[in-house]
């Protein structure tokens, strides 16, 4: 994961491959496009992706992400999950 040759169509920066294999840029346009919703519970960050075919299954397994459904993902973060959710929420707005 990391920098790639993909260029963000919105701002022209190089995009990075993130923990679920989706490509994103600092301008966060791609986050809003790819992630439909997000929530959290006591220890898990939950989110739904728009197109499950865009998720890199090898990256998901390597990162320990749980896939309870085609488009659903859960990441066990721990008790600081609210701060992680707050940062993701900023990207999604």
């Amino acid at each position: 994961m990391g920098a790639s040759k993909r260029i963000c169509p919105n701002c022209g920066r190089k995009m990075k491959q993130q923990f679920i294999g989706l490509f994103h840029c600092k301008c966060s346009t791609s986050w809003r496009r790819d992630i439909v919703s997000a929530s959290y519970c006591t220890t898990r960050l939950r989110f739904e992706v728009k197109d499950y075919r865009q998720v890199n299954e090898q990256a998901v397994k390597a990162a320990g992400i749980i896939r309870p459904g085609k488009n659903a993902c859960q990441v066990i973060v721990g008790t600081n999950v609210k701060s992680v959710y707050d940062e993701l929420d900023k990207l999604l707005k």
Side-chain angles (χ1 to χ4, degrees):
M1 288 185 237
S4 72
K5 293 181 182 180
R6 289 191 186 189
I7 302 296
C8 177
N10 188 52
C11 69
R13 292 185 184 120
K14 286 186 179 180
M15 298 177 81
K16 290 185 178 183
Q17 188 174 16
Q18 300 297 326
F19 63 95
I20 59 171
L22 298 174
F23 286 89
H24 297 285
C25 178
K26 289 181 181 178
C27 73
S28 76
T29 301
S30 52
W31 283 102
R32 290 187 296 271
R33 182 190 67 227
D34 292 336
I35 297 178
V36 177
S37 65
S39 63
Y40 67 95
C41 67
T42 307
T43 59
R44 291 184 184 192
L45 176 66
R46 296 181 163 120
F47 55 95
E48 184 178 335
V49 294
K50 185 174 185 176
D51 184 0
Y52 72 93
R53 295 169 296 189
Q54 295 295 319
V55 176
N56 180 330
E57 293 298 331
Q58 289 177 337
V60 165
K61 288 178 184 173
I65 297 172
I66 301 164
R67 294 289 301 273
K70 269 174 135 175
N71 292 20
C73 296
Q74 295 180 7
V75 182
I76 300 171
V77 176
T79 55
N80 65 337
V81 68
K82 185 177 180 338
S83 62
V84 175
Y85 169 79
D86 290 343
E87 290 300 314
L88 178 62
D89 192 46
K90 287 178 192 175
L91 292 172
L92 296 176
K93 290 184 178 181

